[in-house]
Amino acid sequence: MKLILLGPPGAGKGTQAEVLTKQLGVETISTGVMLRAAMRDGTELGKLAKKYIDDGKLVPDEVVVGIVKERLSQDDCKNGFILDGFPRTIAQAEALDAAGIEIDKVLSLEVSDEVIIKRLAGRRECKKCGTPYHVINKPVPEDGKCICGGEVIQRPDDNEETIKNRLKVYHEQTEPIKAYYESRGKVISIDSSHSVERTNEAALKALGLVKQEQ
């Protein structure tokens, strides 16, 4: 299955991608993880991306599109993939089409801005490997370290002012993608304001991987 996860920042895309990649047996391609790795390594791309991300803005299309195209050409994506954090603009969606990359389904995670703002205050991330955590939904191990041994931190773009700006950018630039794929009959929407387990159950039912209740 070639799947796109769509939803505002904090909707649970990364968490659901982590679960679904095991259930579907395909790789998750997260542009966020790749970009943050580049920032940690201090690469030219990382320095450029950091300026935009720290301000709660989107990284330019030409930067992200090139990374994703290269990644999807690798052998482990031949049987399918989950795209988390891409596309984020109509131009990026069109770039996927132009590259001949066919998408089977777009899973839209629906949640209100109010819930998002509260949820992101508890989000944490491993400084070393990028593994996501949450103080409620996915607590950090008791020793305060990631499973890889790295330091777990709160990202600087998870303060309330930046979150509100990111939501504004999402509604203006990314949300229109939903209509783009709806016109192609590919969008499935689920409520992601509940627990990880409940949201995952809804996702599997929406994707037709488990039977709907009668």
Side-chain angles (χ1 to χ4, degrees), residues 45-108:
L45 170 62
K47 293 176 182 177
L48 179 62
K50 188 176 188 303
K51 179 180 182 301
Y52 289 92
I53 292 177
D54 284 351
D55 291 338
K57 298 179 181 178
L58 296 178
V59 178
D61 288 349
E62 60 269 22
V63 176
V64 184
V65 170
I67 293 175
V68 174
K69 284 183 178 178
E70 182 178 51
R71 181 66 182 88
L72 295 184
S73 68
Q74 296 178 14
D75 290 342
D76 61 354
C77 292
K78 289 183 177 180
N79 293 325
F81 51 79
I82 299 172
L83 283 177
D84 170 21
F86 183 90
R88 288 190 175 183
T89 64
I90 294 294
Q92 290 179 356
E94 292 174 339
L96 275 183
D97 291 341
I101 299 170
E102 181 68 22
I103 299 299
D104 297 320
K105 295 291 181 182
V106 176
L107 184 63
S108 179

Side-chain angles (χ1 to χ4, degrees), residues 202-214:
L204 293 175
K205 287 180 179 179
L207 293 170
L209 298 176
V210 296
K211 292 183 179 180
Q212 299 279 357
E213 294 181 0
Q214 298 298 322

Side-chain angles (χ1 to χ4, degrees), residues 149-198:
E151 178 187 1
V152 178
I153 62 170
Q154 182 178 36
R155 285 163 48 184
D157 56 336
D158 278 344
N159 65 74
E160 186 169 336
E161 181 179 353
T162 303
I163 291 168
K164 289 180 178 179
N165 186 45
R166 292 169 66 200
L167 286 169
K168 182 175 182 290
V169 171
Y170 172 80
H171 291 308
E172 292 176 351
Q173 299 185 35
T174 305
E175 204 164 36
I177 294 175
K178 185 177 179 181
Y180 179 88
Y181 285 111
E182 279 179 335
S183 67
R184 291 157 173 76
K186 295 182 181 293
V187 176
I188 300 172
S189 298
I190 63 170
D191 182 356
S192 68
S193 62
H194 303 295
S195 67
V196 173
E197 293 77 16
R198 187 170 171 182

